[in-house]
Amino acid sequence: MIDLFTALRGEIARAIRGVADLDDVPFEFPPDPALGDLATPVAFSLARVLRRAPRQIAEELAERIRELPGVAGVEVAGPGYVNVRIDRTAAVRRLLGPDESPPPRPGKVVVEHTNINPNKAAHIGHLRNAILGDTLVRCLRATGHLVEVQNYIDDTGVQVADVVVALTELAGLDAAGVRELIERGEERAASGGGGVDHDLWDLYARVTAWYGEDETRLAKRAEVLHALERREGPLAEIGALVAMAVVRCHLRTMLRLGVRYDVLPRESDILAHRFWEQAFGLLRESGAIRFAEEGKAAGCWVMDLPHDEEDEDGEKYEKIIVRSNGTVTYVGKDIAYQMWKFGLLGRDFEYAPFRAWAYPDGTRPWQTVPPGEGEPDHPEFGRATRVYNVIDVRQSYLQRVVAAGLERLGHAEQARESIHFSYEMVALSPRTALMLQPELRLTEEELARPWLDMSGRRGLGVKADDLLDMLERKALEEVRNRAPEAPADEAERIAHEIAIGALRYYMLRHTRNKVVAFDVDQALAFEGETGPYCQYAAVRISRILDKLEEREGLDRGGALGLAREADFAAIPGEGRLEHWGLVLEAARLPEVVPAALESLEFATIAKYAFDLARAINGFYHRWPVLQEKDPATRAARLAVLLVADRSLREALDLMGIPVPARM
RNA sequence: GCGGCUGUAGCUCAGGGGAUAGAGCACCAGCCUCCGGAGCUGGGUGUCGCAGGUUCGAAUCCUGCCAGCCGCGCCA
């Protein structure tokens, strides 16, 4: 990324402070590039302080700004905006120059995302999580952060227990039978089908009904849970087998969209390494929790929340951390885990390369393992200076409690740096739900609702793999229509890249506080505000470069060299402003990325990429490069397109959207 | 009850003090002997949920209200 504006703003702000004392000088981009490249409405606020007309103040400021290097002109417009124009040829040259990305930053950022229960196939809600998380990771890395990506595996929870019950009681399988089921899934997966996680999707839905028929059957779940925690017996073996097999499936699904992880911490290893016992000691010693002698929580260890939260009786709110039977709650475990992420626990996991699967390139993410099984040489994990937990909005309360726990332990800074990246869920419109599953029986009330929650227990939802398959099939059909001569493997690769583009864009285009009411038609759209539209704009520029090489022997390096030498002023007057407008739009990327990180709103990057692609497509139609006769104009026009291309590709890359070689 | 989020065009959504409130979809009409239509150009719609307030200026900030959704468990 190349940032034209930050340094310039600093200069202008300094010049303005020479006239009036101000902490903060506001800047904005003028709504129309004809007005200028950078604007400040500062004269309006100064007018109040100085008790003079804003326009008059603006004129004075303009005089000083005019003198600054890199400033090509200053004008006062409207009621008192100061509009600044910059040197265009120099700007274009710089934008085509070497990368100026920020230097590495101190500290380490942990991003935890995906976190799918390893009991059935990933659904489209998990896709939103992983895509948001992965985009966060990419943006952090692009701005110089060292990032560690964690995907937490809850392999001892109720969901896994239920699937073990389903396998043993409903499917009548023993460990050998489960192994066989997993193997069959692997064979299907090898030829592009769904793995064992797909089998479990329906099986898991059935177990809820099975419990419903006879409540005494819940004892089976308790038995399995117990076995999982102790890691003993055939039920535990099946649980471990299934959980790791499903994790493998999830990793495969996520790899389809280009999402990878550094380390997979497992709940069972948190238990095995006795993280909670360690945290319990620290919490007790620090006074963060206390033993409740009386009240509703008598006999429990509780944490008094520093918030002014009260329950309906007006009593001070306390959160139970250890139950009266001595077992720890979910929040308690989460506090221990969060402490580990910051290196505050004084205890670590052991690690080994993920045992169940390797990425196709032969690398493996790391996983945690029980005591005594770890490899001596492994990267350092945890010890973060900041932690992002990507979890949906329903966990907001618990995330606050976890941060409060750190605070109460005396780690105020880490509490502040514990960031809940919350987002709303993906749901199904009743129409889409019925379309996908016509056999579904919805109540009157459900039909009237704007959306329906996906429910693993009802089998209601859309599998991530199925959506990806649909996207790839549709994209492949389009590719075959448009480029019938393309070899099969190339067509498939392009279709895959288009599918990813469509899916990732779809999940990012909504702001995070909005429920995505999943709509098949919208998700499968390749036209309008979509990923493929953005990809297409980049491909078009790429095609011009191809033609340039075919017809004139000018390769990409040559084209870039030509563009760097271009004189922007060579562009004839009537189109000059439009050319410049595209450059300006492209130059805004370094403004967009930090803003997106600050607000955790990656829809802004999606919107930016789309606007830029739209500008490129419009430009493409009005200003041909290859047909342009005048060599100076042609070089300048090429330069403009290359500037736009660079920003568009960078923006797409931040969202994990690849650009196909052709479309 | 308490807390959070959402309410903007027919639909899906951007915009979150500042220049004339915008996109996409859908609908209609145009556009290539081309750098391939996943495109471009036009066409028109808005009590920005309602009511007050702050401000030179409010879709945007504040207060209240209405509607919808989500949380608030000795579940995970």
Side-chain angles (χ1 to χ4, degrees):
Chain A
M1 282 190 287
I2 291 158
D3 185 350
L4 288 183
F5 293 107
T6 302
L8 180 64
R9 273 192 294 252
E11 296 282 327
I12 294 173
R14 206 163 319 143
I16 290 173
R17 285 198 200 96
V19 174
D21 195 28
L22 265 184
D23 304 334
D24 218 17
V25 178
F27 285 99
E28 52 193 55
F29 290 106
D32 177 351
L35 297 168
D37 305 324
L38 189 63
T40 174
V42 71
F44 298 112
S45 42
L46 282 178
R48 206 172 321 169
V49 185
L50 301 176
R51 304 178 139 280
R52 286 164 51 202
R55 204 163 160 113
Q56 192 191 358
I57 296 167
E59 295 287 355
E60 273 174 44
L61 298 178
E63 282 311 310
R64 293 178 144 263
I65 295 166
R66 218 183 305 277
E67 308 302 319
L68 297 173
V71 170
V74 185
E75 280 150 29
V76 175
Y81 289 93
V82 180
N83 292 331
V84 179
R85 279 180 292 113
I86 64 178
D87 182 332
R88 295 174 177 178
T89 297
V92 169
R93 199 158 292 172
R94 190 169 155 205
L95 288 167
L96 290 173
D99 186 53
E100 298 176 17
S101 285
R105 300 184 196 228
K108 174 159 89 174
V109 180
V110 161
V111 176
E112 179 190 283
H113 68 76
T114 305
N115 295 13
I116 311 172
N117 281 320
N119 70 324
K120 62 177 193 310
H123 60 59
I124 52 178
H126 300 123
L127 287 177
R128 190 178 193 185
N129 182 300
I131 289 168
L132 285 171
D134 187 60
T135 302
L136 170 64
V137 169
R138 287 164 186 268
C139 287
L140 287 168
R141 286 185 173 147
T143 49
H145 290 94
L146 175 64
V147 183
E148 178 176 307
V149 187
Q150 301 185 356
N151 174 9
Y152 179 76
I153 311 296
D154 184 359
D155 57 348
T156 61
V158 172
Q159 281 88 349
V160 173
D162 281 347
V163 91
V164 170
V165 171
L167 284 165
T168 52
E169 301 296 320
L170 296 184
L173 297 175
D174 57 8
V178 171
R179 274 207 178 82
E180 202 179 305
L181 185 72
I182 291 169
E183 231 11 80
R184 279 205 303 276
E186 286 303 296
E187 282 163 24
R188 280 200 313 270
S191 51
V196 71
D197 58 332
H198 287 230
D199 299 318
L200 297 178
W201 180 279
D202 296 323
L203 199 54
Y204 178 68
R206 276 169 55 201
V207 80
T208 306
W210 186 75
Y211 288 139
E213 287 162 19
D214 177 359
E215 286 198 0
T216 62
R217 288 170 175 170
L218 283 167
K220 200 73 199 169
R221 172 198 276 175
E223 183 191 339
V224 174
L225 268 174
H226 197 63
L228 288 177
E229 287 193 14
R230 299 175 136 252
R231 296 191 187 227
E232 280 171 13
L235 292 174
E237 188 191 347
I238 291 173
L241 216 54
V242 148
M244 285 305 102
V246 172
V247 170
R248 170 171 58 196
C249 295
H250 291 163
L251 292 187
R252 198 157 37 211
T253 300
M254 292 308 165
L255 186 66
R256 289 179 78 180
L257 43 153
V259 178
R260 288 170 179 256
Y261 311 90
D262 296 315
V263 61
L264 314 173
R266 297 189 303 183
E267 168 101 355
S268 61
D269 293 317
I270 288 181
L271 298 176
H273 287 274
R274 306 180 72 77
F275 274 22
W276 167 246
E277 287 74 2
Q278 176 80 359
F280 184 50
L282 293 169
L283 285 162
R284 226 172 19 190
E285 284 163 28
S286 66
I289 59 174
R290 63 177 171 83
F291 188 76
E293 302 283 355
E294 53 189 359
K296 281 193 297 196
C300 300
W301 286 86
V302 299
M303 187 166 73
D304 297 309
L305 293 177
H307 309 282
D308 42 4
E309 293 171 30
E310 292 178 347
D311 65 12
E312 55 265 42
D313 307 325
E315 286 177 33
K316 190 151 179 1
Y317 201 90
E318 52 192 22
K319 186 76 195 164
I320 292 167
I321 305 296
V322 180
R323 305 183 187 99
S324 53
N325 68 6
T327 58
V328 60
T329 60
Y330 172 72
V331 202
K333 278 186 281 195
D334 232 28
I335 291 172
Y337 182 42
Q338 191 77 356
M339 289 169 72
W340 169 79
K341 288 182 193 163
F342 281 108
L344 297 173
L345 189 63
R347 198 168 280 200
D348 198 1
F349 292 106
E350 292 183 34
Y351 305 91
F354 183 56
R355 291 163 170 170
W357 192 61
Y359 287 123
D361 64 8
T363 64
R364 293 169 189 264
W366 289 83
Q367 68 164 86
T368 61
V369 292
E373 295 182 24
E375 298 204 355
D377 289 328
H378 62 81
E380 180 183 271
F381 296 111
R383 298 185 163 275
T385 47
R386 166 174 288 186
V387 173
Y388 289 94
N389 294 321
V390 183
I391 318 181
D392 78 56
V393 67
R394 289 173 293 191
Q395 301 273 5
S396 295
Y397 171 69
L398 287 165
Q399 285 287 306
R400 275 211 323 278
V401 175
V402 168
L406 292 182
E407 167 100 48
R408 295 294 311 268
L409 277 160
H411 301 299
E413 187 184 334
Q414 285 81 358
R416 263 198 317 278
E417 297 293 332
S418 296
I419 298 166
H420 176 202
F421 180 174
S422 79
Y423 62 93
E424 266 290 358
M425 56 191 180
V426 179
L428 303 173
S429 67
R431 190 182 68 89
T432 299
L434 281 173
M435 202 176 104
L436 294 169
Q437 279 160 267
E439 74 284 1
L440 209 63
R441 318 209 53 175
L442 298 179
T443 63
E444 287 287 322
E445 189 243 357
E446 283 176 324
L447 283 168
R449 295 173 58 152
W451 59 72
L452 300 172
D453 289 10
M454 282 186 285
S455 159
R457 297 197 172 276
R458 288 172 75 187
L460 174 55
V462 179
K463 295 187 198 78
D465 285 326
D466 290 351
L467 177 58
L468 274 160
D469 290 345
M470 283 161 71
L471 282 162
E472 286 180 348
R473 267 200 306 276
K474 189 181 171 204
L476 186 60
E477 200 177 310
E478 293 285 335
V479 173
R480 290 234 168 92
N481 284 338
R482 287 157 207 260
E485 78 290 353
D489 60 335
E490 191 193 346
E492 276 172 27
R493 189 172 60 246
I494 293 169
H496 173 69
E497 288 167 340
I498 292 169
I500 293 177
L503 176 60
R504 293 188 81 130
Y505 193 95
Y506 178 74
M507 288 297 177
L508 289 170
R509 60 180 289 199
H510 303 88
T511 50
R512 62 194 171 94
N513 283 329
K514 219 115 182 180
V515 174
V516 172
F518 180 80
D519 182 278
V520 197
D521 294 334
Q522 280 179 26
L524 290 180
F526 294 162
E527 290 168 15
E529 193 188 339
T530 66
Y533 176 95
C534 300
Q535 293 171 311
Y536 188 61
V539 168
R540 282 181 142 171
I541 295 174
S542 177
R543 296 300 281 175
I544 294 174
L545 296 175
D546 289 344
K547 295 279 181 208
L548 213 48
E549 181 160 8
E550 279 169 31
R551 294 178 191 176
E552 302 175 29
L554 189 68
D555 67 8
R556 301 203 169 206
L560 184 60
L562 187 70
R564 279 182 180 150
E565 294 307 310
D567 177 6
F568 193 86
I571 296 159
E574 75 268 28
R576 201 180 291 154
L577 192 60
E578 201 184 331
H579 285 65
W580 181 241
L582 185 53
V583 173
L584 269 183
E585 181 81 3
R588 280 187 42 221
L589 179 62
E591 314 282 325
V592 174
V593 178
L597 277 171
E598 177 68 26
S599 57
L600 294 177
E601 204 60 90
F602 298 110
T604 54
I605 297 179
K607 192 86 167 84
Y608 170 78
F610 174 67
D611 285 342
L612 184 56
R614 205 150 47 98
I616 289 171
N617 276 329
F619 188 90
Y620 175 91
H621 278 268
R622 278 186 294 282
W623 307 105
V625 174
L626 298 179
Q627 266 92 316
E628 175 57 48
K629 297 286 190 294
D630 176 54
T633 302
R634 190 159 97 148
R637 189 166 295 155
L638 182 65
V640 168
L641 274 177
L642 289 179
V643 165
D645 182 57
R646 184 175 187 171
S647 283
L648 178 58
R649 283 172 183 269
E650 282 176 348
L652 290 174
D653 188 53
L654 290 171
M655 296 185 286
I657 298 177
V659 176
R662 51 192 290 199
M663 283 175 78

